Amino acid sequence: MIDLRSDTVTRPSDAMRDAARDADVGDDVYGDDPTVNELERRAANLVDTEAALYVPTGTMGNQIAARTHTDRGQEILVDDQAHVVKWELGGLAQLSGLQVRTVDCGERAVPTPEQVRTNLVDEDLHRPGTGLLSLENTHNSRGGIAVPVEHVEAAAAAAHEHDVPVHLDGARVFNAAIALDVDPADLVAPVDSVMFCLSKGLGAPVGSMLAGSEEFIARARRTRKLLGGGMRQAGMIAAPGLLALDNVERLADDHANAKALADGLNEVSGLSVPTPDTNIVVVDSEGASMTGDEFADRCTDAGVGCGAFGEYTTRFCTNWDVSDEDIDEAVDRIATVVE
């Protein structure tokens, strides 16, 4: 199986396994785990924030941010295809009591300043007001789009004009930084908090980071405990995360493989594939008279893991366990499926 279902399927390196075994540990709830403390320090430095918090998953990181930034009953403004809306089990409502106001951001992937200003709600006697603007970079459901710094800045500035904080779901923010050739800190600078994953293209077996101001992270730490995310000798899983932070530059390899996959599949009659920004490749199989489900099932049967993404679309996601040769073989297998 050439597994292109997601970059979450990567297996930790031998060095990561060794680091987990040998990690210096303590009780992280008491703040006593030196490996977790070092991971949080390095992660904050990488995106130039005052502090960071280690969390088990990206979803938990996003949900902690939403609850920490807002009051119950407030609105959160977000793209209608955002991960926090589509793939997090309604957590914004269930865990934070938030009302969700969505906007269609299209290929821009984040709202324009006009969309932000139009959809912000002021608090009054009858309405709770907008408590948070949430952005996403890269944008998963829109095909791994890398959102330029100026678009993030413009949306965040419009929210800040109304004293509304901004959170960035940056699960793959380092992919965006590599694609745009910018410092990840520049992508994060306009927002008040950011979550990024260690367990996708960076290759760690588990864990994500939530970063922001010292005051925000202090409150977020309490929220993490509330949601069951307080961990004890977590250094054993944080140690591979420290190594993962050294893997940012290698994301360019995944991007190159994604482009090669897209180029190869565009040569297959009946398939249409936009050129990817990052490591997510979205294939339209309508021209081959196959729904996304049918196409994904046939690809899987042929030994190429993927997932239906829409009525006629399927997602493939390159990762560090997939080689150049694997990409060539995947193209050949998929071509056979279509033929």
Side-chain angles (χ1 to χ4, degrees):
M1 175 66 71
I2 300 170
D3 199 345
L4 295 168
R5 289 174 298 168
S6 178
D7 45 10
T8 62
V9 303
T10 56
R11 295 183 177 91
S13 66
D14 289 342
M16 287 182 176
R17 295 173 188 269
D18 290 343
R21 182 193 63 220
D22 298 334
D24 191 7
V25 300
D27 191 319
D28 182 48
V29 172
Y30 289 116
D32 290 343
D33 192 300
T35 306
V36 173
N37 293 343
E38 175 64 9
L39 176 61
E40 291 176 344
R41 184 193 67 79
R42 279 194 56 196
N45 286 343
L46 192 58
V47 292
D48 197 22
T49 60
E50 291 179 349
L53 178 69
Y54 186 43
V55 295
T57 69
T59 292
M60 181 179 282
N62 284 334
Q63 296 300 324
I64 289 172
R67 184 166 180 123
T68 304
H69 277 302
T70 63
D71 294 327
R72 299 181 72 83
Q74 286 187 315
E75 292 192 3
I76 179 172
L77 180 61
V78 65
D79 175 51
D80 61 8
Q81 298 299 308
H83 192 280
V84 293
V85 172
K86 294 185 67 175
W87 308 114
E88 298 190 9
L89 284 171
L92 297 171
Q94 294 200 72
L95 302 174
S96 299
L98 295 177
Q99 300 182 102
V100 178
R101 183 179 291 267
T102 60
V103 295
D104 181 358
C105 297
E107 292 185 0
R108 186 183 176 93
V110 298
T112 65
E114 292 74 20
Q115 285 177 311
V116 173
R117 296 185 184 103
T118 299
N119 288 280
L120 290 179
V121 176
D122 291 330
E123 178 182 348
D124 62 23
L125 180 62
H126 307 284
R127 308 179 77 177
T130 303
L132 183 65
L133 169 65
S134 184
L135 309 176
E136 185 174 336
N137 197 14
T138 66
H139 198 299
N140 177 23
S141 289
R142 295 195 181 278
I145 291 175
V147 182
V149 175
E150 56 268 25
H151 290 182
V152 177
E153 288 175 338
H160 289 153
E161 289 171 7
H162 296 264
D163 296 322
V164 172
V166 183
H167 173 66
L168 178 65
D169 175 357
R172 297 181 177 92
V173 73
F174 298 115
N175 290 89
I178 292 295
L180 298 168
D181 193 24
V182 299
D183 191 310
D186 293 336
L187 286 174
V188 171
V191 304
D192 300 285
S193 63
V194 59
M195 182 282 297
F196 59 85
C197 292
L198 305 173
S199 56
K200 291 186 167 69
L202 301 186
V206 63
S208 294
M209 306 304 303
L210 179 62
S213 69
E214 288 185 359
E215 185 271 337
F216 169 80
I217 292 299
R219 291 188 292 121
R221 194 174 297 275
R222 286 175 54 86
T223 308
R224 184 186 69 172
K225 187 68 167 63
L226 171 68
L227 299 183
M231 298 175 285
R232 300 301 178 174
Q233 286 71 40
M236 294 189 72
I237 53 175
L242 279 166
L243 297 182
L245 295 180
D246 295 328
N247 290 335
V248 172
E249 295 299 324
R250 67 144 306 278
L251 294 175
D253 297 336
D254 293 346
H255 298 180
N257 279 339
K259 186 177 185 303
L261 180 64
D263 290 345
L265 294 181
N266 261 324
E267 297 298 318
V268 178
S269 179
L271 301 183
S272 176
V273 191
T275 300
D277 280 358
T278 54
N279 68 322
I280 293 175
V281 178
V282 179
V283 178
D284 189 314
S285 56
E286 185 173 11
S289 300
M290 280 186 278
T291 66
D293 285 327
E294 292 169 341
F295 182 64
D297 287 345
R298 293 187 187 185
C299 288
T300 301
D301 290 343
V304 181
C306 56
F309 214 45
E311 184 177 5
Y312 288 103
T313 55
T314 302
R315 188 187 83 158
F316 298 79
C317 191
T318 56
N319 58 77
W320 77 346
D321 282 342
V322 177
S323 67
D324 300 356
E325 293 77 16
D326 289 332
I327 294 298
D328 293 338
E329 177 65 20
V331 171
D332 291 342
R333 293 182 188 182
I334 295 168
T336 302
V337 163
V338 175
E339 291 167 2

